[in-house]
Amino acid sequence: MAWDEWEDLKRQAATHGSARTRLDGPAGGGDGGGHDLLVNQDDLGAVGHEARGLHDALRKQADIDGMGSDEHGAGTTMRAANELKSHGFATGPALSNSVRAWTSQVNSLLQACATISNHLNYSRKTHSHDDAVIAASLKQADGSAAPVSALSKYFK
């Protein structure tokens, strides 16, 4: 059964012509509309900068656990939760759980912002270096850099 299916696929491929490798165009779009693959370094830098700014602002403003810390490192909200617990109020443990959950979520968001910022900075540097290497190795007859879309002619 599988062999018959394979033979049928081969017949269909032979009928429709040879397969082609498409480097930079949309599916069924032919030559890709004449556009090269482009990554705007300024856009990457701007997003990375915003992620870093969000990280810094969040770190300074969202730390409920450590706000108003005493000599033992307990913030005012956690001290209030402990005080409520010591007097038997049910809101004490609930407030304590809320602060722990908030702190965990803030730390996760801080880590995500730092990762985004670092990754975009790394990507920007890496792609810039890759572009320079590719440009140096691909030259047209007149010595100018060959556009990425021109590479498709080598795979026909």
Side-chain angles (χ1 to χ4, degrees):
M1 173 88 174
W3 186 257
D4 293 335
E5 185 179 357
W6 173 248
E7 291 298 324
D8 187 44
L9 290 171
K10 287 187 344 187
R11 271 192 301 282
Q12 288 177 16
T15 303
H16 296 295
S18 64
R20 295 181 181 203
T21 301
R22 182 180 33 81
L23 293 178
D24 67 341
D31 68 353
H35 298 286
D36 286 338
L37 177 62
L38 219 343
V39 175
N40 189 325
Q41 300 296 329
D42 293 338
D43 291 340
L44 290 178
V47 173
H49 178 74
E50 289 297 321
R52 178 61 188 210
L54 177 59
H55 175 275
D56 292 344
L58 188 61
R59 186 176 42 82
K60 291 175 186 171
Q61 298 174 7
D63 183 20
I64 288 179
D65 191 23
M67 291 295 230
S69 295
D70 62 9
E71 65 276 0
H72 303 292
T76 53
T77 308
M78 285 304 280
R79 288 197 316 266
N82 290 334
E83 189 69 24
L84 289 167
K85 273 192 255 184
S86 72
H87 291 299
F89 289 102
T91 54
L95 182 57
S96 180
N97 287 340
S98 296
V99 170
R100 276 196 290 276
W102 173 259
T103 300
S104 174
Q105 292 298 314
V106 167
N107 287 337
S108 295
L109 188 53
L110 286 170
Q111 184 176 3
C113 289
T115 299
I116 289 167
S117 178
N118 291 341
H119 180 72
L120 288 174
N121 286 337
Y122 172 79
S123 295
R124 186 175 54 161
K125 288 176 187 173
T126 300
H127 291 300
S128 181
H129 173 72
D130 291 347
D131 287 347
V133 169
I134 291 169
S137 65
L138 295 173
K139 301 287 181 189
Q140 294 186 33
D142 65 359
S144 64
V148 176
S149 59
L151 295 175
S152 64
K153 69 182 177 188
Y154 296 114
F155 294 99
K156 291 183 179 178

